């Protein structure tokens, strides 16, 4: 009985020490969301008329922007730009056949 008590107390002591270990420096959810938002802040979604895609592709190449995604069914592309987002929006809105230019948005659902 005393032997069992000693083993139980030793196990409790070991578990207590393990519980006191420092936790790794993990980014908080808010930090991850902020980092993702900063990365997405230079992304534009451009909607265009189907037959005007070549004009838009030439304009993207002219500005040295990069296409991030080509939405086949929506007639839209996502691009990343290094310039000020407002300047890029104004530039792309002037292109013939461009219907809409929107900055990419992240929406978070709050379920609490």
């Amino acid at each position: 009985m005393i032997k069992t008590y000693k083993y139980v107390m030793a196990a409790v002591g070991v578990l207590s020490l393990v519980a006191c270990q420092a936790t790794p420096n993990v980014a908080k959810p808010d930090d991850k969301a902020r980092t993702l938002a900063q990365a997405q802040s230079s992304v534009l979604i451009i909607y265009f008329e189907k037959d005007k895609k070549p004009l838009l592709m030439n304009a993207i190449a002219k500005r040295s922007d990069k296409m991030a995604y080509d939405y086949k069914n929506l007639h839209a592309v996502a691009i990343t730009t290094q310039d000020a987002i407002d300047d890029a929006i104004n530039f792309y809105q002037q292109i013939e056949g461009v219907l809409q230019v929107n900055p990419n948005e992240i929406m978070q659902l709050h379920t609490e």
Side-chain angles (χ1 to χ4, degrees), residues 21-86:
Q21 283 184 336
T23 57
N25 188 8
V26 177
K28 298 175 187 170
D30 291 341
D31 293 341
K32 288 180 182 178
R34 191 175 306 115
T35 302
L36 182 59
Q38 289 170 346
Q40 295 292 324
S41 66
S42 63
V43 176
L44 293 175
I45 311 296
I46 305 172
Y47 298 89
F48 56 88
E49 294 175 16
K50 183 179 179 179
D51 58 336
K52 303 294 183 178
K53 186 174 182 178
L55 293 174
L56 178 59
M57 294 298 111
N58 288 338
I60 292 170
K62 179 180 176 182
R63 283 181 49 93
S64 300
D65 291 337
K66 293 184 174 55
M67 186 160 54
Y69 193 78
D70 186 0
Y71 299 94
K72 302 288 184 194
N73 296 329
L74 298 177
H75 307 299
V77 294
I79 64 157
T80 57
T81 182
Q82 299 301 317
D83 296 333
I85 203 80
D86 291 334

Side-chain angles (χ1 to χ4, degrees), residues 7 12 16 20 32 62 70 82 87 90 93 101 106 110:
Y7 287 125
V12 169
S16 297
C20 294
K32 288 180 182 178
K62 179 180 176 182
D70 186 0
Q82 299 301 317
D87 293 340
N90 290 335
Q93 285 176 337
V101 182
I106 298 173
H110 297 283

